Structure formats: structure tokens, C-alpha cells
Amino acid sequence: MDNQINGNPTKTFFIEMITRDISIKDAILDLLDNSIDGANAINPNDYTGLYIDITVSNDGFKVKDNCGGFTLETAKKYAFRFGRPDEMVHNAGSIGRFGVGMKRALFKMGMNFEVESKTDNDHFQIDVDVSQWKNKKKTVTLDNDDEEQIEIDDWNFEYQLISLETVNLEENGTYIAVSNLKKEVSAIFSDPEFLVELENDIERFLNFSLEKGLIIRLNGKELKKRGVVLFNEQSKPYMYEGIIDGVTVRISAGLSHVGEPKASGWYIYCNDRLVVEENKYEETGWGTSNIPKWHPDYVMFKGVVFLDSEDTIKLPLTTTKKGIDTTSELYKKVLFFMREAMSSVLGFLKEVRKLGSEANDYRKMLGEQEANITVAVLKTANIDEERLFISPEIDLDTIADKKSHVRIAYNVDRELASKAKQHSECSSFKQLGEYTFEYYLKMEELTN
């Protein structure tokens, strides 16, 4: 028809433009998210026995997992589509949402890539030369009187079945290799500092999966789960749990430590994936609706939001998974409770500020009473019906006493410490520390 305007996308847009919206580290995290989605399909609560091996060098990139793989049907209908079809069935608890992550990551890195997948029923491989694929065309016949034939972009990928010998996979899982790296990517992969930053990002953003027992290795080094210091032991954090627009929402906010001002602020998890961290800006309520802008006086504030849904499309994620869609109606409703939590906790911190010269000493004293728990434990903690933050007492006499004392800490072998505790008849390791110090003073006659 003469009144039609061509609105089809171009391959160049996907190869060269959409890849600019994501960093190399985030592209790698996107690929790891796919592996974790596979692990989640096996057992959402326990990833023990599952692994992801990542190899990064200036010659190429590889990621291999034993997280179940994806079927040939999934590859044909969904995995290699540019965008997620409406009819696609979402994996419960998945973090993948838009259907662009894997392709964007591969196009971001290099000009050749290979994807191999093995399941109980399928074992296949897809090899792509990006330059050849970019120029690949097919002829179609128009549905008109002349049956005119034209050439259009062929977006399809070709696969090969693997029926006898395993190529790269001994177990059900996925293997991805990118070669012929882009020059700038090869330079990044050659930088030792990049590997340190990538390791740090994986441990932070995928900590939940590490908590569930998943093993992630980067260039042979096994990465570690992180216990997070969250709230002061002498206070009760604000806690809320409910279902909003089909999404399970859990919010915790309270007092944390003062040692790292950067760590203050809001943390938001979507289906156990950290997407916002250390946020002190308007998007998490700071400086809006009677909430003050973040200030060093509020350094002890820490809030954690968990958003969970079996239907990922309901989560207010951005495509890079490094932010929240603040225009989302769901998020606007969640923000109400976040502001409520902030009003309560910041009200107490304003009272601390009134202590003047004693304020910093009081903050430090509270910082010595931290609860070392993981966010995974926080997510399953019991929540009372009342959304109350209960602050610790402000005791000036205790502050004065603390100023005349110092805290001594040291690490020793646990088995030897237990023997010493039993021999000295101390009831705790804290008491043992005090006992050994007093014993030293007595032996050296320093108390005279």
C-alpha cells in the first residue's frame, strides 16, 4: 500500500547503538543473570553444586555453567529474538525481562561468538560471524498483484545439533565464547584494575546467588559471598511487608555504622538482584515530601528494599538493571513506605545531631553495637504488624564512659580460643578478652 512507512529496525542499530547503553561489566553481569535464571529453574532456594566459570583475557571472553541450559525450542522462539515476545512464559523469579541482554552483551564484546547449550533432550551450538550476519539478506514476495520480490534483512541465526561427542559441556548448561574482540574491549580486558572491579561488582550484585551456594569463578579465582553489616543491635528497624500490584514488597530501614559514609542510603533488590545501592538522591525519596537531602549527619541511615515477582515484567527495572524506573506506578507506591521509614529514622538522627560535640562520640558508640547479618537473612526475618522504628536510648553518662575507654580486638584460632574460654571459665569470647587483658596487667604489674 502506498500510504505505508517502513518502521523496521536495522541490524546496525542493535550491533552499534543499543550496545552503547551498557558498560562491559554490566554486559557480563547480564550473561551471568541468564545462568542464574537457569539455576533458579532447578531450585530457587539452593544452588549448591552449581557453578559459573568466567574467563577474561585480551584474546577473548568465555562463560560456562552447569545451570541446566536452555532447550532448542527456547533458542528458536525466544533466546535469540531481539525483544521478548508477548507469548513467552516467564521463568518464576527470573531477572531477565526485555529479551536483549544476551545479544547486546555479545555484540558489545566482539565480532565472533559461539553459544552452546545442553539439556536432557537437546545439545546444540550456534556460531555467529557478526559481519556476515549483518549483511545477511533474504528474498520475500510481497502480497500484491504483481507479487513483487524484494530483499530484506535476514535476522535468523543458524544452529548445529551436537549428537555424539560433547564439545565444551559435560553437564547440562551453557557455554558462551566471544572472540575477535573489539579493540577497546581487548584493552579493557587487559587492565588488571578492570578484573578487580569486575570481581567486586559480581560479589556485590550477585551476592544473593552466592549466599544460595552458587560457585562463581573469575579466571580460576572463586568469588566470595559478602556478609553485610546492616542495623544497630540496640534499636529495632522499621519493617514493612505487603503485596503491591502483584509484587511482594519488603522494606527495612534503620541505623548502620558510621565508618563508611558512602555505604549509607537505600539498597533495592529485584528478584534477589541488587539494582540500586548506596542511593542518597531524589529517586529514593531524599529531598522530597518533607524528607531532607542526605547530609553527613544521616550517615547511619541504611534502608533495604526487596521487590519480588514471578512475572518479571511487573518489576520497575531499567534495561541495564542498574537503576529503577521512577515513573513506575508500583515504585511510586513503594516510595510512600520508604519515605515513612526515613521520617522515623531521620527523626532520631536529628536528635543525635542536637548533642553537638558529643554527637560523633555517640555515633561511634552505636557503631560498636552492629548486627552482622546477610541481606538473605534480613529478607526472611519476622515482621511485626506495626511499622515502627524503635531507637536506642541517648545516655550521656554512657557516652562519657565510652570516651575514657578504648576497644581492643584481635583474631585468634577458634579452637584455641574455645579451650582458653573453657579453662578460664569465661562465659563469652568478649569476657575472655577482658580476662586476658586483666591477666596481662597483673603479670606486668601495670595496675600499680
Side-chain angles (χ1 to χ4, degrees), residues 23-299:
S23 70
I24 286 294
K25 286 185 291 184
D26 290 340
I28 292 173
L29 285 169
D30 254 340
L31 296 177
L32 303 187
D33 283 336
N34 289 339
S35 296
I36 292 169
D37 282 348
N40 198 63
I42 296 172
N43 185 339
N45 301 312
D46 187 359
Y47 298 163
T48 302
L50 303 179
Y51 69 81
I52 305 174
D53 279 330
I54 312 155
T55 304
V56 178
S57 73
N58 61 347
D59 293 327
F61 170 86
K62 296 177 182 178
V63 59
K64 177 181 177 181
D65 69 58
N66 67 339
C67 299
F70 56 94
T71 65
L72 183 57
E73 181 183 11
T74 298
K76 287 181 176 180
K77 293 184 177 181
Y78 310 120
F80 285 87
R81 293 280 295 274
F82 289 87
R84 181 152 290 184
D86 292 339
E87 70 273 14
M88 180 177 179
V89 178
H90 297 271
N91 289 333
S94 166
I95 192 62
R97 176 182 181 185
F98 299 100
V100 298
M102 181 174 69
K103 284 80 69 177
R104 178 168 59 178
L106 298 176
F107 286 138
K108 176 83 174 179
M109 292 187 204
M111 299 306 293
N112 293 85
F113 61 84
E114 167 193 347
V115 179
E116 180 185 343
S117 180
K118 184 176 185 294
T119 67
D120 287 338
N121 301 315
D122 300 311
H123 193 180
F124 62 93
Q125 181 174 315
I126 299 168
D127 293 299
V128 178
D129 182 314
V130 175
S131 296
Q132 290 181 7
W133 179 82
K134 178 182 176 181
N135 297 319
K136 187 180 178 184
K137 304 285 185 181
K138 65 181 178 180
T139 301
V140 298
T141 301
L142 298 179
D143 186 15
N144 56 25
D145 293 338
D146 299 329
E147 294 188 345
E148 180 185 357
Q149 290 189 325
I150 61 171
E151 273 196 341
I152 63 172
D153 282 335
D154 185 349
W155 291 76
N156 293 325
F157 299 96
E158 296 178 0
Y159 69 89
Q160 298 83 40
L161 292 176
I162 301 172
S163 57
L164 296 176
E165 295 183 0
T166 299
V167 176
N168 293 295
L169 294 169
E170 302 79 24
E171 305 175 81
N172 290 352
T174 305
Y175 171 81
I176 296 174
V178 184
S179 58
N180 193 11
L181 297 178
K182 294 180 179 179
K183 186 180 298 185
E184 64 273 18
V185 175
S186 180
I188 291 172
F189 285 176
S190 300
D191 183 0
E193 186 63 28
F194 168 79
L195 292 177
V196 173
E197 293 173 358
L198 177 60
E199 176 183 328
N200 183 53
D201 275 8
I202 294 172
E203 289 183 343
R204 284 163 38 233
F205 291 109
L206 304 184
N207 182 62
F208 253 113
S209 297
L210 294 169
E211 289 284 350
K212 292 180 183 180
L214 181 68
I215 294 175
I216 303 179
R217 289 181 285 257
L218 175 60
N219 286 355
K221 179 182 179 181
E222 185 171 329
L223 305 188
K224 299 177 180 179
K225 59 185 178 182
R226 297 190 174 193
V228 179
V229 175
L230 287 170
F231 300 125
N232 171 268
E233 291 178 337
Q234 304 303 312
S235 62
K236 177 181 176 294
Y238 169 103
M239 301 282 276
Y240 165 81
E241 184 173 43
I243 296 177
I244 302 176
D245 296 344
V247 174
T248 300
V249 178
R250 174 178 276 243
I251 299 172
S252 304
L255 304 176
S256 186
H257 54 84
V258 297
E260 299 180 37
K262 182 182 176 183
S264 175
W266 281 103
Y267 296 70
I268 302 177
Y269 292 81
C270 288
N271 281 357
D272 295 349
R273 166 74 140 82
L274 180 62
V275 296
V276 170
E277 64 173 342
E278 303 168 352
N279 190 287
K280 309 172 184 65
Y281 305 104
E282 287 187 10
E283 55 261 40
T284 53
W286 294 95
T288 66
S289 300
N290 299 318
I291 301 296
K293 292 183 178 180
W294 190 90
H295 184 276
D297 286 342
Y298 308 133
V299 68

Side-chain angles (χ1 to χ4, degrees), residues 334-353:
V334 171
L335 201 54
F336 168 83
F337 295 99
M338 294 168 65
R339 291 194 184 105
E340 183 180 71
M342 295 171 79
S343 294
S344 183
V345 178
L346 298 185
F348 168 74
L349 292 177
K350 289 176 183 178
E351 293 299 313
V352 173
R353 181 171 58 186

